[in-house]
Amino acid sequence: MVLALVEHEAGTPEETSLEMLTLARDVAAGTGSSVETVAFEDGAAGLADDLDAYGVSDHHVVEHDRLGGYAPEAWAESVSQLADELTPDAILAPGSDRGHEVLAHVAARRDLPMAANCTDVTVGEEYELTRLRWGGSLIEEATLGGETKLLTAAEHEVSAEPVAEPTDAEIHRFSPTLDDADFRVTVDRYEESDEEGVPLGEARIVVGGGRGVGGPEDYDQLEELAELLGGTVGASRAAVNEGWRPHSDQVGQTGAKISPKLYIACGISGAVQHMVGCKGADNILAVNTDPEAAIIQKAEYAVIGDLHEVVPALNEAIRNAKS
Amino acid sequence: METLACLKRVPDTGAKIVLTDDNQEIDTSNLGFTMSPHEECAVEEAIQVAEDTDGAATALTLGTEESTEQLRTALAMRAADAVLLETDGDEWGPSETAGAIADYVAGREEGFDLLLFGNESADAANHQVGIRVANELGLPCVTGIKTLEVDGDTVVAKREVSGGEEVYELPTPAVVGVKEGLNEPRYPSMRSKMQARKQTIEQHGVEKSGVDDLQKVRLEAPEESEGAAEILGEGPEAADEIVALLGEELEVL
């Protein structure tokens, strides 16, 4: 049996958790067993319907007086106690901040190895797996041992695919035994961002600017384009290092991973460290003066030209089209 | 406050990563080395916190003698001390690495109040060394942090989530995994680089206690997407073509 930690927003599963469940199903098929899920927080029981579409046989809802919000150690201890009961072959989590954090705590508690950001798994005595290194710029083939195999699924790598015949997951309540030490670290409070607009990671359209933008002022044109399209502005690491944009705008290996419907990359050369941040985009439109730039090889569409001329002309054309 | 920043020496890769013929590692014959970006921020933060609290910052790495290059960078940034847990050149997995770091910290005469790690290393990206160290030392730990403040004996750490930030408050001593964007790492002056060259680096030989159960088999460069982009046009005249693409084909207008 494979146990999978599902993240959700008030009862709606995160897309990355559905991707992870798709990978978990492969692992379960390899072990000749089923996928069972575990979830925390309000709305966890309500997930079952969505999980049926992903072939989940049993859904475990963790309940405890002190488990309100997120608490990494309490979550890890709960998953670990549930694993004592269920003795799964493998435990999977999404390759998110929480997924990595909880599973790494489980690994440390159970003295087991853990493989992060996996994209493919072949089950055997040891698991043969493919995982991402360098933020996805390199792929590693590795073997994973341990009595229980612990792995996270890389985000936006395996596409979430429902099963042909949905299951009817049985819901179980699980009450872990937790003590004060498990609650040393909890989310104390939530602070809303005062930044306007859609966060990069969720934006449907992202307009990215790189070194070719040339300075902070010239992002105005990109801002305008983003606004016309209902999107958000992003930047390459080069532009952030120049101080033209804040780090929160950075797309790439050490910045945001985006998955918009369209990414318009302006004056961005397309270094591999940048591309791993935007490979989740359905379509890339590159605007670049250099027809030999790497981004032209990696984009679906391109315009060869100076963004300082192309983007204002495009803004004008969109305004005309809209009116 | 006594602070520790753990870092890793990694190849300073260019726009394209080239592998050795045996697919075991990155071909570094034409590359320099650096510390992972997240860890550069960990070092900067360790120094800033120490400066603000009349403490001292220590930079630590596990690796070969060559890793002293990155420790000297940390010293040039004004870390007070540097520690090398010296290996014989074998690749160390995350459990083994965490074990050696925890052993060093536990055995040290003076403890650390704040232990900083990069959220994940640039090269292996195992996402777990800091958490394993915290568990071995019995310390509270939070990762994925991009804002950090120290308020007396409390570490206030913030993690970016959809639409805002989650705020954590940890009692010290604590372990924090940080991400790039936490601060702007300083560029050491030539003078401090010269001084760093003369500083003594504390060195301890370490040996693996077992076999890591996560074993690299080989590395591969990801497949490049085939073919080039469809060229919509050149210069500002292409605007109408783009509008047609946005409106009709992609339906985003």
PDB file of all heavy atoms in Angstrom, chain A residues 98 101 112 131 139 141 143 145 184 188-189 191 202 237 254 300 302 304, chain B residues 124 132 138 143 159 162 165-167 180 213 215 217-218 220 230 232 235:
ATOM      1  N   ARG A  98       5.633  22.486   2.173  1.00  0.00           N
ATOM      2  CA  ARG A  98       5.105  21.632   3.244  1.00  0.00           C
ATOM      3  C   ARG A  98       5.390  20.154   2.999  1.00  0.00           C
ATOM      4  O   ARG A  98       5.739  19.419   3.918  1.00  0.00           O
ATOM      5  CB  ARG A  98       3.594  21.839   3.387  1.00  0.00           C
ATOM      6  CG  ARG A  98       3.236  23.155   4.019  1.00  0.00           C
ATOM      7  CD  ARG A  98       1.744  23.249   4.239  1.00  0.00           C
ATOM      8  NE  ARG A  98       1.400  24.510   4.884  1.00  0.00           N
ATOM      9  CZ  ARG A  98       0.181  24.824   5.300  1.00  0.00           C
ATOM     10  NH1 ARG A  98      -0.815  23.969   5.135  1.00  0.00           N
ATOM     11  NH2 ARG A  98      -0.055  25.985   5.889  1.00  0.00           N
ATOM     12  N   GLU A 101       8.950  19.445   3.750  1.00  0.00           N
ATOM     13  CA  GLU A 101       9.240  19.634   5.169  1.00  0.00           C
ATOM     14  C   GLU A 101       8.685  18.478   6.013  1.00  0.00           C
ATOM     15  O   GLU A 101       9.395  17.904   6.847  1.00  0.00           O
ATOM     16  CB  GLU A 101       8.640  20.965   5.639  1.00  0.00           C
ATOM     17  CG  GLU A 101       9.015  21.345   7.055  1.00  0.00           C
ATOM     18  CD  GLU A 101       8.642  22.794   7.348  1.00  0.00           C
ATOM     19  OE1 GLU A 101       7.442  23.126   7.371  1.00  0.00           O
ATOM     20  OE2 GLU A 101       9.560  23.592   7.551  1.00  0.00           O
ATOM     21  N   LEU A 112      15.014   7.005   7.925  1.00  0.00           N
ATOM     22  CA  LEU A 112      14.874   6.457   6.580  1.00  0.00           C
ATOM     23  C   LEU A 112      15.428   7.449   5.571  1.00  0.00           C
ATOM     24  O   LEU A 112      15.419   8.652   5.815  1.00  0.00           O
ATOM     25  CB  LEU A 112      13.383   6.237   6.262  1.00  0.00           C
ATOM     26  CG  LEU A 112      12.682   5.072   6.949  1.00  0.00           C
ATOM     27  CD1 LEU A 112      11.190   5.167   6.717  1.00  0.00           C
ATOM     28  CD2 LEU A 112      13.234   3.742   6.451  1.00  0.00           C
ATOM     29  N   ARG A 131      14.875  11.747 -10.572  1.00  0.00           N
ATOM     30  CA  ARG A 131      14.572  12.934  -9.785  1.00  0.00           C
ATOM     31  C   ARG A 131      15.297  14.142 -10.354  1.00  0.00           C
ATOM     32  O   ARG A 131      16.229  14.009 -11.139  1.00  0.00           O
ATOM     33  CB  ARG A 131      14.927  12.727  -8.306  1.00  0.00           C
ATOM     34  CG  ARG A 131      16.391  12.445  -8.012  1.00  0.00           C
ATOM     35  CD  ARG A 131      16.647  12.307  -6.517  1.00  0.00           C
ATOM     36  NE  ARG A 131      16.393  13.556  -5.824  1.00  0.00           N
ATOM     37  CZ  ARG A 131      17.326  14.494  -5.605  1.00  0.00           C
ATOM     38  NH1 ARG A 131      18.567  14.333  -6.002  1.00  0.00           N
ATOM     39  NH2 ARG A 131      17.019  15.609  -4.980  1.00  0.00           N
ATOM     40  N   ILE A 139      18.860  15.867 -14.591  1.00  0.00           N
ATOM     41  CA  ILE A 139      18.044  14.748 -14.138  1.00  0.00           C
ATOM     42  C   ILE A 139      18.968  13.694 -13.548  1.00  0.00           C
ATOM     43  O   ILE A 139      20.026  13.405 -14.118  1.00  0.00           O
ATOM     44  CB  ILE A 139      17.256  14.185 -15.331  1.00  0.00           C
ATOM     45  CG1 ILE A 139      16.216  15.222 -15.780  1.00  0.00           C
ATOM     46  CG2 ILE A 139      16.594  12.872 -14.989  1.00  0.00           C
ATOM     47  CD1 ILE A 139      15.594  14.931 -17.106  1.00  0.00           C
ATOM     48  N   GLU A 141      19.296   9.761 -12.153  1.00  0.00           N
ATOM     49  CA  GLU A 141      18.734   8.434 -11.938  1.00  0.00           C
ATOM     50  C   GLU A 141      19.360   7.926 -10.655  1.00  0.00           C
ATOM     51  O   GLU A 141      20.570   7.998 -10.472  1.00  0.00           O
ATOM     52  CB  GLU A 141      19.075   7.503 -13.104  1.00  0.00           C
ATOM     53  CG  GLU A 141      18.313   7.842 -14.361  1.00  0.00           C
ATOM     54  CD  GLU A 141      18.795   7.032 -15.558  1.00  0.00           C
ATOM     55  OE1 GLU A 141      19.470   6.004 -15.357  1.00  0.00           O
ATOM     56  OE2 GLU A 141      18.509   7.457 -16.685  1.00  0.00           O
ATOM     57  N   THR A 143      18.879   5.183  -6.924  1.00  0.00           N
ATOM     58  CA  THR A 143      18.173   4.089  -6.267  1.00  0.00           C
ATOM     59  C   THR A 143      17.863   4.508  -4.838  1.00  0.00           C
ATOM     60  O   THR A 143      18.650   5.215  -4.204  1.00  0.00           O
ATOM     61  CB  THR A 143      19.019   2.802  -6.238  1.00  0.00           C
ATOM     62  OG1 THR A 143      20.277   3.098  -5.600  1.00  0.00           O
ATOM     63  CG2 THR A 143      19.263   2.283  -7.643  1.00  0.00           C
ATOM     64  N   GLY A 145      16.587   3.071  -1.086  1.00  0.00           N
ATOM     65  CA  GLY A 145      16.328   1.930  -0.224  1.00  0.00           C
ATOM     66  C   GLY A 145      15.479   2.335   0.971  1.00  0.00           C
ATOM     67  O   GLY A 145      14.789   3.342   0.943  1.00  0.00           O
ATOM     68  N   ARG A 184       5.964  22.697  18.897  1.00  0.00           N
ATOM     69  CA  ARG A 184       6.926  23.794  19.063  1.00  0.00           C
ATOM     70  C   ARG A 184       6.860  24.745  17.878  1.00  0.00           C
ATOM     71  O   ARG A 184       7.067  25.938  18.013  1.00  0.00           O
ATOM     72  CB  ARG A 184       8.358  23.224  19.123  1.00  0.00           C
ATOM     73  CG  ARG A 184       8.707  22.559  20.415  1.00  0.00           C
ATOM     74  CD  ARG A 184      10.162  22.139  20.396  1.00  0.00           C
ATOM     75  NE  ARG A 184      10.450  21.243  19.264  1.00  0.00           N
ATOM     76  CZ  ARG A 184      11.602  20.626  19.108  1.00  0.00           C
ATOM     77  NH1 ARG A 184      12.580  20.828  19.966  1.00  0.00           N
ATOM     78  NH2 ARG A 184      11.804  19.825  18.085  1.00  0.00           N
ATOM     79  N   ASP A 188       1.939  30.751  13.427  1.00  0.00           N
ATOM     80  CA  ASP A 188       1.440  31.626  14.473  1.00  0.00           C
ATOM     81  C   ASP A 188       0.351  32.537  13.922  1.00  0.00           C
ATOM     82  O   ASP A 188      -0.648  32.788  14.571  1.00  0.00           O
ATOM     83  CB  ASP A 188       2.609  32.456  15.020  1.00  0.00           C
ATOM     84  CG  ASP A 188       2.182  33.353  16.150  1.00  0.00           C
ATOM     85  OD1 ASP A 188       1.911  32.805  17.238  1.00  0.00           O
ATOM     86  OD2 ASP A 188       2.088  34.582  15.930  1.00  0.00           O
ATOM     87  N   ARG A 189       0.596  33.043  12.734  1.00  0.00           N
ATOM     88  CA  ARG A 189      -0.385  33.923  12.094  1.00  0.00           C
ATOM     89  C   ARG A 189      -0.100  33.995  10.603  1.00  0.00           C
ATOM     90  O   ARG A 189       0.926  33.512  10.128  1.00  0.00           O
ATOM     91  CB  ARG A 189      -0.338  35.325  12.718  1.00  0.00           C
ATOM     92  CG  ARG A 189       1.015  35.991  12.624  1.00  0.00           C
ATOM     93  CD  ARG A 189       1.081  37.266  13.474  1.00  0.00           C
ATOM     94  NE  ARG A 189       2.374  37.903  13.365  1.00  0.00           N
ATOM     95  CZ  ARG A 189       3.444  37.614  14.093  1.00  0.00           C
ATOM     96  NH1 ARG A 189       3.389  36.644  15.006  1.00  0.00           N
ATOM     97  NH2 ARG A 189       4.589  38.251  13.923  1.00  0.00           N
ATOM     98  N   GLU A 191      -0.045  36.672   7.363  1.00  0.00           N
ATOM     99  CA  GLU A 191      -0.032  38.078   6.969  1.00  0.00           C
ATOM    100  C   GLU A 191      -0.319  38.184   5.488  1.00  0.00           C
ATOM    101  O   GLU A 191       0.404  37.618   4.673  1.00  0.00           O
ATOM    102  CB  GLU A 191       1.321  38.721   7.308  1.00  0.00           C
ATOM    103  CG  GLU A 191       1.511  38.908   8.793  1.00  0.00           C
ATOM    104  CD  GLU A 191       2.894  39.464   9.154  1.00  0.00           C
ATOM    105  OE1 GLU A 191       3.701  39.707   8.236  1.00  0.00           O
ATOM    106  OE2 GLU A 191       3.140  39.637  10.354  1.00  0.00           O
ATOM    107  N   GLU A 202       0.476  31.681  -9.529  1.00  0.00           N
ATOM    108  CA  GLU A 202      -0.912  31.382  -9.901  1.00  0.00           C
ATOM    109  C   GLU A 202      -1.366  32.135 -11.143  1.00  0.00           C
ATOM    110  O   GLU A 202      -2.496  31.975 -11.597  1.00  0.00           O
ATOM    111  CB  GLU A 202      -1.841  31.754  -8.740  1.00  0.00           C
ATOM    112  CG  GLU A 202      -1.626  30.891  -7.522  1.00  0.00           C
ATOM    113  CD  GLU A 202      -2.176  31.529  -6.263  1.00  0.00           C
ATOM    114  OE1 GLU A 202      -3.194  32.222  -6.348  1.00  0.00           O
ATOM    115  OE2 GLU A 202      -1.554  31.354  -5.199  1.00  0.00           O
ATOM    116  N   ARG A 237      16.826  36.229 -13.074  1.00  0.00           N
ATOM    117  CA  ARG A 237      17.734  36.459 -11.950  1.00  0.00           C
ATOM    118  C   ARG A 237      18.679  37.611 -12.267  1.00  0.00           C
ATOM    119  O   ARG A 237      19.036  38.401 -11.397  1.00  0.00           O
ATOM    120  CB  ARG A 237      18.519  35.181 -11.648  1.00  0.00           C
ATOM    121  CG  ARG A 237      19.333  35.256 -10.374  1.00  0.00           C
ATOM    122  CD  ARG A 237      19.776  33.871  -9.916  1.00  0.00           C
ATOM    123  NE  ARG A 237      20.348  33.916  -8.588  1.00  0.00           N
ATOM    124  CZ  ARG A 237      21.644  33.743  -8.328  1.00  0.00           C
ATOM    125  NH1 ARG A 237      22.494  33.543  -9.313  1.00  0.00           N
ATOM    126  NH2 ARG A 237      22.084  33.781  -7.081  1.00  0.00           N
ATOM    127  N   THR A 254      16.024  29.474  -8.375  1.00  0.00           N
ATOM    128  CA  THR A 254      15.965  29.945  -6.989  1.00  0.00           C
ATOM    129  C   THR A 254      14.861  30.982  -6.808  1.00  0.00           C
ATOM    130  O   THR A 254      14.863  31.730  -5.848  1.00  0.00           O
ATOM    131  CB  THR A 254      17.320  30.528  -6.551  1.00  0.00           C
ATOM    132  OG1 THR A 254      17.752  31.482  -7.527  1.00  0.00           O
ATOM    133  CG2 THR A 254      18.366  29.447  -6.409  1.00  0.00           C
ATOM    134  N   GLU A 300       7.522  28.450 -27.961  1.00  0.00           N
ATOM    135  CA  GLU A 300       6.623  28.017 -29.031  1.00  0.00           C
ATOM    136  C   GLU A 300       6.550  29.089 -30.110  1.00  0.00           C
ATOM    137  O   GLU A 300       6.424  28.800 -31.290  1.00  0.00           O
ATOM    138  CB  GLU A 300       5.211  27.768 -28.476  1.00  0.00           C
ATOM    139  CG  GLU A 300       5.021  26.397 -27.839  1.00  0.00           C
ATOM    140  CD  GLU A 300       5.680  26.300 -26.474  1.00  0.00           C
ATOM    141  OE1 GLU A 300       5.870  27.353 -25.832  1.00  0.00           O
ATOM    142  OE2 GLU A 300       6.020  25.185 -26.055  1.00  0.00           O
ATOM    143  N   ALA A 302       7.901  33.249 -31.319  1.00  0.00           N
ATOM    144  CA  ALA A 302       8.915  34.275 -31.090  1.00  0.00           C
ATOM    145  C   ALA A 302       8.699  35.462 -32.013  1.00  0.00           C
ATOM    146  O   ALA A 302       8.180  35.330 -33.122  1.00  0.00           O
ATOM    147  CB  ALA A 302      10.309  33.692 -31.317  1.00  0.00           C
ATOM    148  N   ILE A 304      11.251  38.466 -33.373  1.00  0.00           N
ATOM    149  CA  ILE A 304      12.626  38.947 -33.366  1.00  0.00           C
ATOM    150  C   ILE A 304      12.562  40.473 -33.418  1.00  0.00           C
ATOM    151  O   ILE A 304      12.089  41.055 -34.401  1.00  0.00           O
ATOM    152  CB  ILE A 304      13.420  38.418 -34.585  1.00  0.00           C
ATOM    153  CG1 ILE A 304      13.280  36.892 -34.698  1.00  0.00           C
ATOM    154  CG2 ILE A 304      14.888  38.833 -34.470  1.00  0.00           C
ATOM    155  CD1 ILE A 304      13.716  36.114 -33.482  1.00  0.00           C
TER     156      ILE A 304
ATOM    157  N   ALA B 124      22.383  18.968  -5.454  1.00  0.00           N
ATOM    158  CA  ALA B 124      21.671  17.731  -5.143  1.00  0.00           C
ATOM    159  C   ALA B 124      20.210  17.995  -4.792  1.00  0.00           C
ATOM    160  O   ALA B 124      19.335  17.181  -5.066  1.00  0.00           O
ATOM    161  CB  ALA B 124      22.357  16.992  -4.009  1.00  0.00           C
ATOM    162  N   ARG B 132      17.072  17.182   9.233  1.00  0.00           N
ATOM    163  CA  ARG B 132      17.684  16.032   9.906  1.00  0.00           C
ATOM    164  C   ARG B 132      18.594  16.483  11.057  1.00  0.00           C
ATOM    165  O   ARG B 132      18.610  15.869  12.124  1.00  0.00           O
ATOM    166  CB  ARG B 132      18.478  15.184   8.903  1.00  0.00           C
ATOM    167  CG  ARG B 132      17.604  14.374   7.961  1.00  0.00           C
ATOM    168  CD  ARG B 132      18.447  13.444   7.110  1.00  0.00           C
ATOM    169  NE  ARG B 132      17.693  12.787   6.072  1.00  0.00           N
ATOM    170  CZ  ARG B 132      17.032  11.625   6.218  1.00  0.00           C
ATOM    171  NH1 ARG B 132      17.037  11.000   7.391  1.00  0.00           N
ATOM    172  NH2 ARG B 132      16.382  11.093   5.210  1.00  0.00           N
ATOM    173  N   GLY B 138      17.413  17.725  18.469  1.00  0.00           N
ATOM    174  CA  GLY B 138      16.187  17.990  19.227  1.00  0.00           C
ATOM    175  C   GLY B 138      15.773  19.447  19.199  1.00  0.00           C
ATOM    176  O   GLY B 138      15.168  19.948  20.154  1.00  0.00           O
ATOM    177  N   THR B 143      11.490  25.572   7.567  1.00  0.00           N
ATOM    178  CA  THR B 143      12.217  25.722   6.303  1.00  0.00           C
ATOM    179  C   THR B 143      11.411  26.597   5.335  1.00  0.00           C
ATOM    180  O   THR B 143      10.294  26.990   5.629  1.00  0.00           O
ATOM    181  CB  THR B 143      12.488  24.346   5.657  1.00  0.00           C
ATOM    182  OG1 THR B 143      11.245  23.675   5.471  1.00  0.00           O
ATOM    183  CG2 THR B 143      13.383  23.493   6.537  1.00  0.00           C
ATOM    184  N   ARG B 159       7.230  32.537   5.755  1.00  0.00           N
ATOM    185  CA  ARG B 159       7.273  31.716   4.542  1.00  0.00           C
ATOM    186  C   ARG B 159       6.219  32.236   3.578  1.00  0.00           C
ATOM    187  O   ARG B 159       5.084  32.458   3.956  1.00  0.00           O
ATOM    188  CB  ARG B 159       6.966  30.268   4.902  1.00  0.00           C
ATOM    189  CG  ARG B 159       6.918  29.339   3.717  1.00  0.00           C
ATOM    190  CD  ARG B 159       6.326  28.009   4.093  1.00  0.00           C
ATOM    191  NE  ARG B 159       7.245  27.204   4.878  1.00  0.00           N
ATOM    192  CZ  ARG B 159       6.956  25.979   5.329  1.00  0.00           C
ATOM    193  NH1 ARG B 159       5.781  25.442   5.094  1.00  0.00           N
ATOM    194  NH2 ARG B 159       7.823  25.307   6.035  1.00  0.00           N
ATOM    195  N   SER B 162       0.469  31.408  -0.903  1.00  0.00           N
ATOM    196  CA  SER B 162      -0.423  32.082  -1.831  1.00  0.00           C
ATOM    197  C   SER B 162      -1.058  33.319  -1.194  1.00  0.00           C
ATOM    198  O   SER B 162      -1.734  33.212  -0.184  1.00  0.00           O
ATOM    199  CB  SER B 162      -1.514  31.095  -2.270  1.00  0.00           C
ATOM    200  OG  SER B 162      -2.469  31.763  -3.036  1.00  0.00           O
ATOM    201  N   GLU B 165       1.999  35.660   3.644  1.00  0.00           N
ATOM    202  CA  GLU B 165       3.069  34.948   4.327  1.00  0.00           C
ATOM    203  C   GLU B 165       2.546  34.258   5.587  1.00  0.00           C
ATOM    204  O   GLU B 165       1.723  34.814   6.302  1.00  0.00           O
ATOM    205  CB  GLU B 165       4.172  35.927   4.744  1.00  0.00           C
ATOM    206  CG  GLU B 165       4.994  36.468   3.600  1.00  0.00           C
ATOM    207  CD  GLU B 165       5.970  37.535   4.070  1.00  0.00           C
ATOM    208  OE1 GLU B 165       5.559  38.418   4.846  1.00  0.00           O
ATOM    209  OE2 GLU B 165       7.135  37.468   3.672  1.00  0.00           O
ATOM    210  N   GLU B 166       3.051  33.070   5.836  1.00  0.00           N
ATOM    211  CA  GLU B 166       2.816  32.407   7.123  1.00  0.00           C
ATOM    212  C   GLU B 166       3.917  32.858   8.065  1.00  0.00           C
ATOM    213  O   GLU B 166       5.080  32.914   7.674  1.00  0.00           O
ATOM    214  CB  GLU B 166       2.938  30.891   6.971  1.00  0.00           C
ATOM    215  CG  GLU B 166       1.818  30.255   6.221  1.00  0.00           C
ATOM    216  CD  GLU B 166       2.090  28.770   5.949  1.00  0.00           C
ATOM    217  OE1 GLU B 166       3.265  28.340   6.082  1.00  0.00           O
ATOM    218  OE2 GLU B 166       1.151  28.070   5.607  1.00  0.00           O
ATOM    219  N   VAL B 167       3.553  33.175   9.308  1.00  0.00           N
ATOM    220  CA  VAL B 167       4.545  33.626  10.277  1.00  0.00           C
ATOM    221  C   VAL B 167       4.734  32.545  11.345  1.00  0.00           C
ATOM    222  O   VAL B 167       3.756  32.051  11.914  1.00  0.00           O
ATOM    223  CB  VAL B 167       4.109  34.945  10.949  1.00  0.00           C
ATOM    224  CG1 VAL B 167       5.221  35.472  11.841  1.00  0.00           C
ATOM    225  CG2 VAL B 167       3.720  35.979   9.897  1.00  0.00           C
ATOM    226  N   GLU B 180      16.834  32.108  -1.192  1.00  0.00           N
ATOM    227  CA  GLU B 180      17.330  33.332  -1.803  1.00  0.00           C
ATOM    228  C   GLU B 180      16.219  34.386  -1.777  1.00  0.00           C
ATOM    229  O   GLU B 180      15.046  34.058  -1.944  1.00  0.00           O
ATOM    230  CB  GLU B 180      17.739  33.063  -3.253  1.00  0.00           C
ATOM    231  CG  GLU B 180      18.435  34.230  -3.904  1.00  0.00           C
ATOM    232  CD  GLU B 180      18.806  33.934  -5.350  1.00  0.00           C
ATOM    233  OE1 GLU B 180      17.916  33.743  -6.185  1.00  0.00           O
ATOM    234  OE2 GLU B 180      20.010  33.882  -5.629  1.00  0.00           O
ATOM    235  N   ASP B 213      21.219   5.332   1.772  1.00  0.00           N
ATOM    236  CA  ASP B 213      20.301   4.511   0.995  1.00  0.00           C
ATOM    237  C   ASP B 213      19.701   5.226  -0.203  1.00  0.00           C
ATOM    238  O   ASP B 213      18.816   4.706  -0.865  1.00  0.00           O
ATOM    239  CB  ASP B 213      19.166   3.990   1.890  1.00  0.00           C
ATOM    240  CG  ASP B 213      19.593   2.738   2.615  1.00  0.00           C
ATOM    241  OD1 ASP B 213      20.503   2.071   2.114  1.00  0.00           O
ATOM    242  OD2 ASP B 213      19.011   2.438   3.670  1.00  0.00           O
ATOM    243  N   GLN B 215      21.162   6.461  -3.561  1.00  0.00           N
ATOM    244  CA  GLN B 215      22.397   6.359  -4.343  1.00  0.00           C
ATOM    245  C   GLN B 215      22.213   6.887  -5.752  1.00  0.00           C
ATOM    246  O   GLN B 215      21.318   6.451  -6.476  1.00  0.00           O
ATOM    247  CB  GLN B 215      22.841   4.892  -4.431  1.00  0.00           C
ATOM    248  CG  GLN B 215      23.357   4.315  -3.123  1.00  0.00           C
ATOM    249  CD  GLN B 215      24.789   4.735  -2.844  1.00  0.00           C
ATOM    250  OE1 GLN B 215      25.526   5.080  -3.765  1.00  0.00           O
ATOM    251  NE2 GLN B 215      25.179   4.704  -1.578  1.00  0.00           N
ATOM    252  N   VAL B 217      22.850   6.975  -9.549  1.00  0.00           N
ATOM    253  CA  VAL B 217      23.283   6.032 -10.577  1.00  0.00           C
ATOM    254  C   VAL B 217      23.960   6.794 -11.711  1.00  0.00           C
ATOM    255  O   VAL B 217      25.080   6.516 -12.085  1.00  0.00           O
ATOM    256  CB  VAL B 217      22.094   5.201 -11.120  1.00  0.00           C
ATOM    257  CG1 VAL B 217      22.564   4.271 -12.237  1.00  0.00           C
ATOM    258  CG2 VAL B 217      21.444   4.412  -9.990  1.00  0.00           C
ATOM    259  N   ARG B 218      23.251   7.773 -12.243  1.00  0.00           N
ATOM    260  CA  ARG B 218      23.845   8.609 -13.279  1.00  0.00           C
ATOM    261  C   ARG B 218      23.055   9.905 -13.435  1.00  0.00           C
ATOM    262  O   ARG B 218      21.922  10.004 -12.974  1.00  0.00           O
ATOM    263  CB  ARG B 218      23.925   7.867 -14.617  1.00  0.00           C
ATOM    264  CG  ARG B 218      22.568   7.530 -15.242  1.00  0.00           C
ATOM    265  CD  ARG B 218      22.716   6.443 -16.288  1.00  0.00           C
ATOM    266  NE  ARG B 218      23.548   6.855 -17.395  1.00  0.00           N
ATOM    267  CZ  ARG B 218      23.102   7.462 -18.494  1.00  0.00           C
ATOM    268  NH1 ARG B 218      21.833   7.772 -18.599  1.00  0.00           N
ATOM    269  NH2 ARG B 218      23.927   7.778 -19.478  1.00  0.00           N
ATOM    270  N   GLU B 220      21.786  13.039 -16.159  1.00  0.00           N
ATOM    271  CA  GLU B 220      21.477  13.283 -17.559  1.00  0.00           C
ATOM    272  C   GLU B 220      20.959  14.697 -17.728  1.00  0.00           C
ATOM    273  O   GLU B 220      20.283  15.218 -16.830  1.00  0.00           O
ATOM    274  CB  GLU B 220      20.393  12.307 -18.008  1.00  0.00           C
ATOM    275  CG  GLU B 220      20.844  11.378 -19.107  1.00  0.00           C
ATOM    276  CD  GLU B 220      19.745  10.404 -19.455  1.00  0.00           C
ATOM    277  OE1 GLU B 220      19.567   9.411 -18.704  1.00  0.00           O
ATOM    278  OE2 GLU B 220      19.056  10.667 -20.435  1.00  0.00           O
ATOM    279  N   GLU B 230       7.957  29.195 -33.611  1.00  0.00           N
ATOM    280  CA  GLU B 230       7.341  29.756 -34.807  1.00  0.00           C
ATOM    281  C   GLU B 230       7.577  31.264 -34.755  1.00  0.00           C
ATOM    282  O   GLU B 230       7.176  31.926 -33.796  1.00  0.00           O
ATOM    283  CB  GLU B 230       5.835  29.445 -34.791  1.00  0.00           C
ATOM    284  CG  GLU B 230       5.088  30.031 -35.966  1.00  0.00           C
ATOM    285  CD  GLU B 230       3.571  29.847 -35.812  1.00  0.00           C
ATOM    286  OE1 GLU B 230       3.150  28.835 -35.195  1.00  0.00           O
ATOM    287  OE2 GLU B 230       2.832  30.708 -36.279  1.00  0.00           O
ATOM    288  N   LEU B 232       6.796  34.836 -35.415  1.00  0.00           N
ATOM    289  CA  LEU B 232       5.578  35.576 -35.769  1.00  0.00           C
ATOM    290  C   LEU B 232       5.894  36.809 -36.617  1.00  0.00           C
ATOM    291  O   LEU B 232       5.024  37.321 -37.307  1.00  0.00           O
ATOM    292  CB  LEU B 232       4.833  36.018 -34.512  1.00  0.00           C
ATOM    293  CG  LEU B 232       4.360  34.906 -33.577  1.00  0.00           C
ATOM    294  CD1 LEU B 232       3.749  35.504 -32.326  1.00  0.00           C
ATOM    295  CD2 LEU B 232       3.359  33.996 -34.277  1.00  0.00           C
ATOM    296  N   GLY B 235      10.258  42.912 -35.271  1.00  0.00           N
ATOM    297  CA  GLY B 235      10.029  44.297 -34.848  1.00  0.00           C
ATOM    298  C   GLY B 235       8.580  44.593 -34.514  1.00  0.00           C
ATOM    299  O   GLY B 235       7.743  43.688 -34.410  1.00  0.00           O
TER     300      GLY B 235
END
